[in-house]
Amino acid sequence: MKRKVVVLGAGHVGSHVALSLAYENIADEVVLVDKVPGKADAQALDIYDAMSFVPHEVLVRGGDYKDVADADVVVCAIGMARKPGQDRVDMLDDSIVMCKELIASLSPYEIPGVFISITNPCDVIADYLRKHLHLDKDRCFGTGTLLDTARLRRVLSRNAGVARLSIQCFVMGEHGESSMIPTSLIKIGAQDYDEFDLSDDKILEEVRRGGWVIVDGKKCTEFGIGRACCEMVDAVLRDEHRILPASAVLDGEYGEKDVQIGIPCVIGAAGIEKRIVAPLTDDEMARFHHSCDVVRTNIAIAAKK
């Protein structure tokens, strides 16, 4: 069966999502859509030229909003790049304006596939789009703390001197300043995190500051989040039942309701197949509840805009 992915937004992030999907042969057809006339076609043609140097064929093209009607996965990558010194929540007003335009453009079409949102602030926008596009909570989720988890794996690898693929870890909570690291769940090879002489505060600071450093240096993030999103798309299209952190709606998990936030999830063809309730310590649970409160507050603010 042909695997079709539509990427909404052909900017830095959307174009790298499309490029990774094509290069890694994750999709058979990748469609870029953008409100700026000609931009999606230009990005698609540029990527399609690059496909001359890989041993497989993937159709990459510009399209329009009606393409979502038969897409297996729709990726929302609209939005403005985060400015130096700007928190993700600072982007909320602009993101809501763009989301309203997007919702109006998508309203004539049914979206039968899985919908993955990248747009910041990630958890709040994923919730906003799910509600206004009337999508099922298992089929509409955000990349959430997946990129944060990739950064954590990088930081742990460097500090512990162990290959990234030997590290199992998750960042949970908001994709933002209230994110938390459940160190009790970290496994470095066969060893617990506590067996390494690492500073919790230093590790968390490095992970949180990763995005700031990139934005300060190059005015945007693109490669990491683009590849992170592709991992989610791959898990859906290959029905991998893979455990990845995602911004999911909670309905009693961890004692939380009415919030969409980053937790480990089993992801497959149906989207989120299971929300994993990991055994957190009392301190970790308290920090997770705080993060939920932060996101819930911002969801309420978004609802009034």
Side-chain angles (χ1 to χ4, degrees):
M1 295 178 62
K2 179 183 283 189
R3 301 163 297 171
K4 179 179 178 181
V5 179
V6 172
V7 180
L8 304 172
H12 288 286
V13 174
S15 60
H16 282 294
V17 171
L19 179 65
S20 290
L21 289 171
Y23 259 37
E24 297 294 328
N25 199 19
I26 293 172
D28 300 300
E29 182 179 6
V30 180
V31 182
L32 280 160
V33 180
D34 199 280
K35 68 178 184 179
V36 178
K39 185 173 184 178
D41 291 331
Q43 292 280 37
L45 186 58
D46 198 6
I47 295 170
Y48 207 28
D49 283 345
M51 295 305 295
S52 296
F53 302 100
V54 295
H56 55 265
E57 182 63 30
V58 175
L59 173 61
V60 185
R61 65 177 178 84
D64 54 37
Y65 295 105
K66 68 183 179 183
D67 276 294
V68 302
D70 64 347
D72 298 290
V73 180
V74 177
V75 173
C76 178
I78 67 170
M80 299 173 64
R82 184 154 59 110
K83 299 178 179 65
Q86 187 179 41
D87 183 85
R88 294 176 185 90
V89 176
D90 294 334
M91 305 169 73
L92 181 58
D93 287 349
D94 289 336
S95 292
I96 291 294
V97 170
M98 285 182 261
C99 282
K100 288 180 177 180
E101 293 177 2
L102 177 65
I103 291 163
S105 297
L106 292 176
S107 61
Y109 312 107
E110 182 181 356
I111 303 175
V114 170
F115 192 102
I116 301 174
S117 180
I118 298 173
T119 303
N120 276 320
C122 183
D123 307 286
V124 179
I125 295 302
D127 179 88
Y128 188 89
L129 290 171
R130 174 181 56 83
K131 290 173 178 174
H132 288 80
L133 290 172
H134 309 291
L135 299 176
D136 180 81
K137 68 178 182 178
D138 294 330
R139 292 194 302 110
C140 180
F141 50 93
T143 47
T145 51
L146 181 54
L147 178 57
D148 308 75
T149 299
R151 289 172 176 157
L152 174 59
R153 190 171 287 118
R154 166 179 57 78
V155 171
L156 288 173
S157 174
R158 190 184 69 253
N159 283 273
V162 176
R164 298 189 201 198
L165 291 178
S166 297
I167 299 172
Q168 180 176 310
C169 60
F170 297 103
V171 176
M172 294 175 58
E174 177 196 20
H175 177 51
E177 295 305 299
S178 71
S179 63
M180 51 82 63
I181 299 173
T183 55
S184 66
L185 302 180
I186 295 175
K187 288 289 184 181
I188 302 177
Q191 296 176 278
D192 292 333
Y193 171 84
D194 290 342
E195 296 182 50
F196 292 78
D197 186 22
L198 301 174
S199 166
D200 294 4
D201 292 339
K202 181 181 176 183
I203 295 295
L204 179 59
E205 179 66 13
E206 280 196 66
V207 171
R208 285 185 179 171
R209 293 297 301 174
W212 289 103
V213 171
I214 295 169
V215 170
D216 286 346
K218 57 177 279 188
K219 315 307 179 191
C220 71
T221 60
E222 50 191 321
F223 305 129
I225 186 58
R227 193 65 189 85
C229 182
C230 285
E231 290 292 296
M232 283 187 163
V233 175
D234 199 23
V236 172
L237 294 180
R238 300 183 195 276
D239 195 20
E240 289 183 332
H241 315 293
R242 185 173 174 187
I243 298 176
L244 294 170
S247 184
V249 179
L250 301 190
D251 186 19
E253 296 87 359
Y254 300 95
E256 292 286 351
K257 283 191 173 186
D258 303 320
V259 66
Q260 185 151 357
I261 201 162
I263 62 166
C265 297
V266 178
I267 297 178
I272 294 178
E273 299 179 344
K274 181 180 180 181
R275 292 156 179 76
I276 294 178
V277 180
L280 303 181
T281 67
D282 290 345
D283 176 66
E284 289 167 350
M285 190 68 83
R287 286 186 281 125
F288 181 71
H289 287 320
H290 167 69
S291 194
C292 288
D293 288 341
V294 170
V295 172
R296 189 180 290 107
T297 296
N298 289 322
I299 285 174
I301 292 171
K304 296 176 182 178
K305 292 187 180 294

